[in-house]
Amino acid sequence: MRHVVLFHSVYGLRPAVRALADRLRAAGHRVSTPDLYGVPATDTVEEGFALLDKIGQEVVLDRARDALRDLPPETVLAGFSMGAGVAGALLAERPAAAGLLLLHGTGGAPDAVRPGLPVQLHLADPDPYDAPDEVDEWQQALTDAGADLTVFRYPGVGHLFTDPELAEYSPDATAAAWPRVLAFLAAG
């Protein structure tokens, strides 16, 4: 059983995030899904970016820190898209994190990675927000830093392919991703 904090995408705390949290809870994990915005989720990515701009990245990161305050040091940091970036940004402050689970976006700097840190990335291939060469550089840097990194790329799908309320949803890619996520959390 793991403690997992699951940060939402730029859209806000959508049903897809809550559904994954429920799936992880059913597998025996303790999962927190903090609302980093404090307002209802948006319907479009453009509205989400406008909301992020209004709230501010520092406020979002402070809310994420607050969500982690009472969680064990070995909590798995996880996130969807922007939330993957939030999880990665907090890795340096949480050196005992049991893992970094990145859905729909990269996150984490090489200098924040401890040797052997389990990291799993699930990403559209290609992804409109993470250029393939940038992902390759990030992957090499994390591997060189000692991360135990596994990258799953899903060809021909949209960015948030696990969100059934979005046009980019891919049931096949989602069906492939979830067992991999559960195996990642079950390991170690």
Side-chain angles (χ1 to χ4, degrees):
M1 189 255 333
R2 301 279 186 145
H3 285 266
V4 180
V5 62
L6 184 58
F7 299 116
H8 60 73
S9 75
V10 76
Y11 282 90
L13 186 56
R14 292 174 57 81
V17 177
R18 290 186 177 108
L20 176 57
D22 289 344
R23 180 182 214 115
L24 299 180
R25 287 183 192 110
H29 304 290
R30 293 186 181 172
V31 184
S32 299
T33 55
D35 184 349
L36 303 178
Y37 287 171
V39 296
T42 64
D43 292 323
T44 70
V45 70
E46 294 81 14
E47 291 171 346
F49 278 115
L51 188 55
L52 175 60
D53 287 343
K54 180 179 175 184
I55 294 168
Q57 187 68 29
E58 282 309 310
V59 170
V60 166
L61 288 171
D62 286 343
R63 289 176 177 172
R65 287 182 186 101
D66 287 345
L68 285 166
R69 185 163 287 119
D70 296 327
L71 296 178
E74 64 279 357
T75 296
V76 173
L77 304 174
F80 280 71
S81 189
M82 175 199 80
V86 170
L90 297 179
L91 185 59
E93 301 171 24
R94 305 284 293 192
L100 185 60
L101 175 60
L102 307 170
L103 303 159
H104 315 293
T106 59
D111 59 349
V113 171
R114 70 171 189 279
L117 176 72
V119 179
Q120 189 177 79
L121 170 65
H122 298 265
L123 193 66
D125 186 20
D127 188 280
Y129 299 102
D130 288 293
D133 57 334
E134 292 172 3
V135 174
D136 292 343
E137 285 179 28
W138 172 86
Q139 183 174 356
Q140 188 61 54
L142 258 62
T143 300
D144 290 348
D148 180 9
L149 174 64
T150 305
V151 174
F152 295 102
R153 296 185 190 210
Y154 300 83
V157 300
H159 176 64
L160 279 169
F161 62 85
T162 61
D163 189 328
E165 294 184 355
L166 298 176
E168 55 204 22
Y169 175 63
S170 169
D172 292 341
T174 300
W178 292 154
R180 293 168 172 165
V181 166
L182 291 173
F184 175 76
L185 293 174

